[in-house]
Amino acid sequence: MTAEHWLSEAIDLATTNVARGGGPFGALVVRGDEVIARGVNRVTADLDPTAHAEVVAIRTACQTLGDFRLHGLTLVSSCEPCPLCLSAALWSRLDRVIYAADREDAAKAGFADSEFYDVLARPRDTWPLKVDQVRPGTESAPFTAWTTRPDRTDY
């Protein structure tokens, strides 16, 4: 299958999701000619701000394959993944991301993806969200527990 074929399917998923009252985003996780998982934006349906189409597809692919690592797979999205979705793609170790519409297209429809890219590029003290570090003295305890555990599953 070609990238255009997979993108067409992701776009169809997104368009169908809009008709069902959801957001205009669809995604697939594919391996060669096989669709491993599909996802649509479920933010409003699930009252979950992390339920982006790409994240839903990645979660489903991981469950389907029984692994949190998606080496050798491609994420196909109807729109350029936002920073949340790009982070999920990186953490899941996908090999590739292909997308159709971009962040400017999303902005024209009222989605502020560009705003989040811009925020992350600025110094933290200028963000609209206050993010503070507080070190109570035990902040390293979870990492010590992790690094000394011989049966851990490394990411």
Side-chain angles (χ1 to χ4, degrees):
M1 301 286 178
T2 65
E4 289 80 9
H5 171 84
W6 294 129
L7 287 167
S8 181
E9 183 171 341
I11 291 166
D12 288 346
L13 278 172
T15 305
T16 300
N17 198 49
V18 170
R20 293 180 178 156
F25 303 97
L28 312 168
V29 174
V30 300
R31 177 174 45 208
D33 290 343
E34 177 187 13
V35 175
I36 304 298
R38 292 173 176 83
V40 295
N41 182 283
R42 300 206 36 87
V43 169
T44 58
D46 293 353
L47 303 177
D48 178 354
T50 69
H52 293 200
E54 297 90 339
V55 173
V56 171
I58 289 168
R59 287 174 180 161
T60 303
C62 290
Q63 292 300 306
T64 298
L65 297 175
D67 198 341
F68 62 90
R69 295 163 296 218
L70 299 177
H71 295 290
L73 282 73
T74 298
L75 175 66
V76 181
S77 180
S78 63
C79 187
E80 181 179 5
C82 72
L84 168 74
C85 297
L86 283 175
S87 295
L90 287 164
W91 275 110
S92 65
R93 309 300 196 258
L94 285 157
D95 283 9
R96 185 177 183 197
V97 175
I98 302 169
Y99 64 90
D102 62 22
R103 63 183 90 167
E104 286 79 25
D105 297 314
K108 290 175 191 171
F111 293 90
D113 294 24
S114 290
E115 181 180 313
F116 294 121
Y117 281 101
D118 296 343
V119 165
L120 293 173
R122 295 191 329 237
R124 213 180 261 180
D125 62 353
T126 67
W127 291 7
L129 170 68
K130 190 171 169 127
V131 178
D132 296 315
Q133 181 182 28
V134 177
R135 297 180 75 87
T138 56
E139 61 277 350
S140 296
F143 297 113
T144 300
W146 173 257
T147 58
T148 59
R149 186 177 176 121
D151 62 339
R152 70 179 180 266
T153 302
D154 290 327
Y155 290 50

